[in-house]
Amino acid sequence: MSKPIYILNGPNLNLLGTREPDVYGVQTLDDISVLCKQKADSLNLTIDFRQTNNEGDLVSHVQEAQKSACAIIINAAAYTHTSVALHDSLRMVDVPIIEVHLSNIYKREEFRHKSFVSPVAQGVICGLGANGYELAIEAVHKIL
Ligand code: DQA
């Protein structure tokens, strides 16, 4: 069986739906996971959709992806802007990496303009809400 796309979600994304809906929308993370599954099915791809609030777990999931995933789609949430450990783990992976954010981080506070993920990502999608995840799956499909 072919390897899944790891779709990795960072801290506080488990609260989507109630968390600042004006910024992040009203869809829950479960809603987004269903959208991703439908999109992947339509392209004959499989996904492994995960969320963690823990930086070390996110790093471990990236390390695991090196042998178990065909690509990584990652919304590292706040760790995007802070985590050298996450950056280092992504550097070591040689599958395609797409960075996703629901909000347009460049329209927001300056501390969100710095991403430790972007320098090691093949592409970045931000500001398109949940649709960004679907577009990222389409991108992986074209890249593979
Ligand atoms: C986010 C943007 C980050 O700045 C923020 O810390 C998040 C979510 C987004 O999807 O828009 O938690 O990654």
Side-chain angles (χ1 to χ4, degrees):
M1 212 171 102
S2 58
K3 293 177 180 176
I5 306 170
Y6 274 22
I7 305 183
L8 304 179
N9 294 280
N12 300 308
L13 294 173
N14 55 313
L15 298 179
L16 287 178
T18 53
R19 176 191 180 201
E20 299 183 81
D22 46 320
V23 178
Y24 298 116
V26 293
Q27 282 161 305
T28 66
L29 197 62
D30 279 348
D31 294 334
I32 294 175
S33 129
V34 169
L35 282 179
C36 287
K37 167 96 173 63
Q38 286 167 349
K39 174 57 73 179
D41 284 351
S42 75
L43 297 170
N44 258 325
L45 294 167
T46 58
I47 60 168
D48 188 333
F49 192 97
R50 303 179 183 187
Q51 188 273 334
T52 177
N53 289 325
N54 185 297
E55 183 177 9
D57 288 345
L58 199 54
V59 166
S60 296
H61 294 159
V62 170
Q63 290 183 3
E64 186 188 310
Q66 168 66 11
K67 66 168 177 10
S68 303
C70 66
I72 297 174
I73 294 172
I74 183 164
N75 182 352
Y79 293 137
T80 306
H81 316 299
T82 61
S83 182
V84 175
L86 179 63
H87 172 94
D88 285 349
S89 66
L90 289 164
R91 280 184 87 89
M92 291 185 286
V93 168
D94 55 17
V95 298
I97 298 167
I98 311 286
E99 176 182 3
V100 170
H101 300 283
L102 295 156
S103 64
N104 181 349
I105 55 175
Y106 299 102
K107 260 171 96 172
R108 302 183 63 197
E109 303 96 321
E110 206 165 326
F111 66 84
R112 295 185 204 275
H113 299 179
K114 164 87 188 162
S115 168
F116 283 96
V117 175
S118 298
V120 288
Q122 185 150 351
V124 182
I125 298 169
C126 75
L128 301 177
N131 188 33
Y133 285 76
E134 295 179 280
L135 293 170
I137 293 170
E138 283 178 21
V140 167
H141 181 250
K142 291 208 165 119
I143 291 165
L144 291 177

